[in-house]
Amino acid sequence: MSDETAREAGSTESVSLEERIARLEEILTRLESDEVALEQALELFEEGIGHVRAAERVLSETQLRVEELLAGGKKKELDVDEP
Amino acid sequence: MSDDLSLDLFPEPEPEHVEVEASVDESEKETVGEPKVWSVSQVNRAVRSLLEDSVDPLWIGGEVGTWTRSRPGHCYFTLKDDRAQMRCVMFNRDAQQLPTDPEEGMKVRVLGALTLYEARGEYQLVASRIEAEGAEGLWRLAFQKLRATLTAEGLLDPERKKELPRYPAVVGIVTSSTGAALRDIVSVLRRRAPWVRVLLGATRVQGEGASVEIALALEALAATGEPDVIIVSRGGGAVEDLWAFNEEPVARAIAACPIPVVSGVGHEVDVTIADLVADLRAPTPSAAAEAVVPDAVVLMEGLREMPSRLAQGLRGTIQRRRSGLREVLAGLRMRVERRIMPVQQTIDRATGRMERAMRSALELRRLRVATAAGKLDALSPLATLQRGYSVARSRTGGVLRSVQDFAPGQPFELRVRDGEVSCEALETREAGPS
């Protein structure tokens, strides 16, 4: 993901947790490298914080969803009781 | 025993046999004239009934001689020991339950019922179960055979194992929708990774044809392209219950699945072919769930540290920029100094030369002055005056050198060694030519 789109992605909800964490690791690596300019570093930092907040929301607020795949690719929500 | 047959090789003194005995007596009577002739079918049928009714199903131990499986799936084989052999048949319904065909020479025990194959008049054992080398020998054999096949095809190579995604968004599960495995897996996922979406490919996990159903369910899940990882699972059970996971359809479906597959079948001790082909083998369904998702608690800790790590990274960047600036400045100064140095040296050298030039010029002048002074000294009239000469000068200062410069009565000043004398000319006389 380019820095441009990534910065916008920092605050939107459509990004998967995997992408967020991968991006966070990328941001850390870049912040620790020599090549990044000061202004860019600030932007990366802000984007990173956005990802952290969004990821924390996902972790603390979502509920596990279980669907059953039916014939023809249809899906049905499924209630699975705790054992 | 069929009613139309009145043959009993082991007559018993029971009331219902009276009639039979009577009829035997009757036939014995007939032997006097034309003997009673039995058809072969009648006799074989009678012997068959006799065998079937008088011997309960039994286990027979022996070694498998020849073994053939017909096209419809019936198996014909011989069972033997060092002195004798017997014919056996296993019909396809029972033969389907065999994990694999026993190998010739294999020591087995066979559960079956004795009967007579009337068409040939040969007695045989109709086998319903075959077990080898203990109850699980044939399962082991089947397992080994399939493993050998898959190994030969390279499907068990470690290099084939796909890496699992670290943070899957969608987890596919192939298992029974009513089994304990699903509940166990969902429970673990709910606790560890509530952000995950589970997509269940429900299937029977045991019984005839289960392996094909499992394979189809896996293929259907993979075909949606949605799961990031798929768990193929079943709770614990007997070897036969887990058997579908040891069959080729499941093995091939897992090997062909483009999405990483984690197996979690039975208990820790159960290792199935599915486990060997899967990208990761988990010992149980719960362990499979733990293997596919990170723990939310650990993840949360990592996220909590993240802001300070980011801030540290930012500070690092700032510091590097700052020290970078310092380096630039130092570099700049060095470059300037390097440029200035030659100029400075030129100036220094020039100054030195100038100083030296000035000093020598001064020296020269001083020398000249000294010389001139010497000369002046020599030329000075004062020296002459010292020697006794005097100089006459007019009141206006002009030196009076000749008689012609004087007129009688003219005042003049006479400069002598130690002062001046005011004088007046009395008379002028021209000296004769010398």
Side-chain angles (χ1 to χ4, degrees):
Chain A
M1 132 162 83
S2 79
D3 284 353
E4 286 299 318
T5 56
R7 209 171 308 133
E8 288 159 21
S11 52
T12 58
E13 299 294 319
S14 62
V15 186
S16 77
L17 191 68
E18 178 166 28
E19 284 170 323
R20 281 193 204 286
I21 289 169
R23 179 63 185 158
L24 272 171
E25 279 161 4
E26 190 188 328
I27 287 172
L28 275 178
T29 313
R30 291 194 50 190
L31 280 180
E32 281 155 11
S33 78
D34 274 338
E35 72 208 24
V36 68
L38 196 56
E39 194 175 335
Q40 204 182 8
L42 265 168
E43 282 168 2
L44 285 171
F45 174 77
E46 280 169 14
E47 186 204 329
I49 295 294
H51 282 303
V52 170
R53 298 283 168 254
E56 279 177 344
R57 265 200 306 282
V58 167
L59 256 60
S60 56
E61 290 170 15
T62 54
Q63 294 276 318
L64 188 80
R65 274 171 62 205
V66 184
E67 293 173 336
E68 183 178 350
L69 182 66
L70 304 174
K74 284 199 279 285
K75 285 166 204 148
K76 178 182 83 176
E77 287 278 339
L78 206 64
D79 264 344
V80 180
D81 298 330
E82 293 287 326
Chain B
M1 202 192 297
S2 48
D3 294 335
D4 62 328
L5 190 72
S6 313
L7 180 74
D8 196 335
L9 298 180
F10 308 98
E12 287 172 52
E14 280 173 28
E16 60 262 44
H17 287 282
V18 172
E19 199 194 332
V20 176
E21 280 167 19
S23 73
V24 169
D25 291 344
E26 208 175 292
S27 64
E28 275 169 0
K29 267 182 244 156
E30 280 175 33
T31 54
V32 180
E34 281 296 302
K36 159 86 175 173
V37 178
W38 301 85
S39 72
V40 175
S41 298
Q42 277 177 315
V43 176
N44 278 2
R45 198 174 309 148
V47 173
R48 175 185 170 183
S49 298
L50 202 61
L51 263 180
E52 287 180 353
D53 291 352
S54 55
V55 185
D56 285 334
L58 70 167
W59 284 99
I60 302 172
E63 195 173 286
V64 174
T66 57
W67 176 282
T68 53
R69 191 184 269 260
S70 74
R71 190 167 287 273
H74 309 307
C75 297
Y76 303 95
F77 60 103
T78 56
L79 200 59
K80 61 182 185 180
D81 57 25
D82 49 0
R83 278 180 297 183
Q85 65 172 41
M86 64 191 294
R87 289 182 177 278
C88 308
V89 60
M90 189 176 215
F91 293 112
N92 58 3
R93 258 193 61 171
D94 291 317
Q96 272 171 5
Q97 307 300 318
L98 283 181
T100 187
D101 292 348
E103 290 174 331
E104 291 177 5
M106 203 172 191
K107 286 206 180 343
V108 295
R109 58 172 185 244
V110 181
L111 176 66
L114 292 177
T115 185
L116 183 99
Y117 180 39
E118 293 174 32
R120 293 205 177 170
E122 290 174 349
Y123 104 94
Q124 62 183 9
L125 182 75
V126 177
S128 53
R129 281 173 71 180
I130 301 176
E131 292 179 354
E133 294 159 359
E136 292 174 4
L138 277 187
W139 306 102
R140 265 203 304 278
L141 178 65
F143 183 95
Q144 284 157 6
K145 276 186 188 168
L146 183 53
R147 184 172 59 188
T149 306
L150 298 174
T151 304
E153 289 180 35
L155 297 185
L156 306 187
D157 288 355
E159 305 89 75
R160 286 192 90 252
K161 306 282 181 209
K162 288 184 277 294
E163 209 173 310
L164 304 190
R166 288 170 65 194
Y167 308 100
V170 180
V171 174
I173 307 177
V174 174
T175 191
S176 159
S177 60
T178 56
L182 179 64
R183 289 201 305 274
D184 289 349
I185 292 170
V186 165
S187 166
V188 170
L189 293 181
R190 195 172 274 150
R191 190 183 75 236
R192 279 176 69 106
W195 64 87
V196 154
R197 188 159 66 86
V198 171
L199 197 51
L200 171 70
T203 172
R204 285 194 305 133
V205 288
Q206 71 183 77
E208 207 182 310
S211 69
V212 174
E213 279 189 32
I214 294 166
L216 288 174
L218 178 58
E219 281 159 16
L221 267 191
T224 65
E226 290 183 40
D228 300 304
V229 61
I230 298 177
I231 298 173
V232 173
S233 187
R234 189 206 185 288
V239 175
E240 298 94 301
D241 297 336
L242 305 184
W243 194 251
F245 295 88
N246 279 323
E247 289 188 315
E248 203 162 343
V250 171
R252 297 216 174 269
I254 292 175
C257 186
I259 297 165
V261 173
V262 175
S263 66
V265 179
H267 298 300
E268 179 112 37
V269 292
D270 304 313
V271 177
T272 63
I273 292 286
D275 290 327
L276 301 180
V277 187
D279 298 298
L280 180 77
R281 183 230 169 197
T284 61
S286 303
E290 280 170 17
V292 299
V293 292
D295 191 340
V297 175
V298 176
L299 207 53
M300 205 62 158
E301 277 169 17
L303 281 174
R304 285 215 187 87
E305 287 171 4
M306 204 52 100
S308 67
R309 286 179 70 192
L310 284 168
Q312 202 179 336
L314 186 60
R315 266 199 302 280
T317 305
I318 292 169
Q319 266 157 17
R320 269 195 302 279
R321 290 292 131 203
R322 199 181 284 157
S323 66
L325 202 62
R326 266 202 293 273
E327 271 168 36
V328 167
L329 278 177
L332 205 64
R333 194 165 61 208
M334 210 145 78
R335 271 211 295 282
V336 169
E337 277 175 358
R338 215 176 291 144
R339 286 244 191 112
I340 285 176
M341 205 109 75
V343 177
Q344 188 73 50
Q345 279 173 352
T346 310
I347 290 172
D348 287 353
R349 262 203 305 276
T351 311
R353 226 169 29 225
M354 248 157 71
E355 275 174 9
R356 277 195 302 280
M358 276 167 71
R359 255 200 307 275
S360 58
L362 275 173
E363 204 61 40
L364 196 65
R365 267 186 217 168
R366 200 176 293 137
L367 205 64
R368 278 198 199 140
V369 168
T371 315
K375 275 188 189 159
L376 276 175
D377 202 37
L379 287 173
S380 168
L382 293 176
T384 314
L385 293 180
Q386 289 286 3
R387 291 198 300 269
Y389 294 90
S390 53
V391 182
R393 285 190 298 183
S394 70
R395 288 265 167 92
T396 55
V399 175
L400 307 169
R401 293 188 177 86
S402 160
V403 176
Q404 310 299 323
D405 295 338
F406 293 89
Q410 178 190 332
F412 64 93
E413 296 293 324
L414 194 66
R415 178 80 167 92
V416 293
R417 183 179 58 103
D418 52 356
E420 300 211 11
V421 181
S422 295
C423 307
E424 211 177 86
L426 296 175
E427 188 189 356
T428 59
R429 281 175 302 271
E430 237 173 296
S434 49

